[in-house]
Amino acid sequence: SNHELENVIRRLDDIEVPIHYNLREIDPVVHAISDCLEGKITIKHESGHPFGVVNSSYAAEIHYGRILWEGPDQLVTALKEKVSAQGAYPEKLRQATIAYFMKEATLALGNGHSAAMQGGIHYASGSFFQAACSWVQVIHALNQQFLLSEKGGLKRANELPFSPKQFRVRVNQVYRYFAANNPKLAYCEIDMLESEMNELVESFVEV
């Protein structure tokens, strides 16, 4: 009942450690997860999410979420079983994530490079952010790890086994080059990162 749910939320609020929670309508979550399991990737732009909300984030919430309370229909339990039915990480989702976001990264970097060479450092920085976030998605998929959002994604990607060497440090260095108005050095590093990402993806395809 709503009263029971309110009691759960009230108990969460009483915990001294900060806890973030979201209330979601179930139908969009069910739809998003069904798409993910079929290898359909979508991204929606929302305030507070500069990269956007990828539909696979809903699958990640279900995967990582701990059930504190649910109604007698046990819809969350059913969704958890649906997400895990294909193994630790659904293969269609893995393949689709890699293909979709490698393409996104390539397009973003191409647009950014053209702008940077004409003095558009601001645009180039934003384009690189889009590319780096896309790579973070790919790295998590390569490692069969669900990704909740772009927040903290770079740090986590850096810690995964299949990732460019010193990934986080190098991404941050690119931003420093842009801040210093040095696009040539920025794209020297970007090109190396892109090459390493391509090698990682090629290794995955060959397996």
Side-chain angles (χ1 to χ4, degrees), residues 40-54:
K40 299 175 184 176
I41 299 297
T42 60
I43 183 167
K44 180 173 65 174
H45 296 284
E46 289 185 4
S47 298
H49 294 273
F51 180 62
V53 178
V54 183

Side-chain angles (χ1 to χ4, degrees), residues 173-174 177-178 182-192:
Q173 184 59 53
V174 170
Y177 286 141
F178 280 134
N182 196 332
K184 288 186 177 181
L185 279 179
Y187 278 95
C188 180
E189 187 64 66
I190 289 170
D191 288 346
M192 288 189 288

Side-chain angles (χ1 to χ4, degrees), residues 64 89 135-147 152-168 200:
Y64 291 120
Y89 192 93
W135 287 338
V136 166
Q137 291 280 339
V138 173
I139 290 167
H140 278 77
L142 287 171
N143 288 273
Q144 297 183 296
Q145 297 290 315
F146 286 95
L147 177 61
L154 177 63
K155 179 178 182 294
R156 189 159 184 251
N158 186 71
E159 297 167 350
L160 294 172
F162 300 109
S163 179
K165 295 179 181 178
Q166 296 185 312
F167 182 60
R168 185 184 183 188
L200 284 173

Side-chain angles (χ1 to χ4, degrees), residues 2 55 63 65 75 80 87-88 90-91 93 98 100 106 118 122 134 147 152 156 158 186-187 198:
N2 288 337
N55 61 345
H63 172 77
L75 288 176
K80 272 188 167 291
E91 185 59 26
L93 174 60
I98 292 168
Y100 184 96
T106 298
Q118 299 174 41
H122 173 69
S134 294
L147 177 61
R156 189 159 184 251
N158 186 71
Y187 278 95
N198 286 331

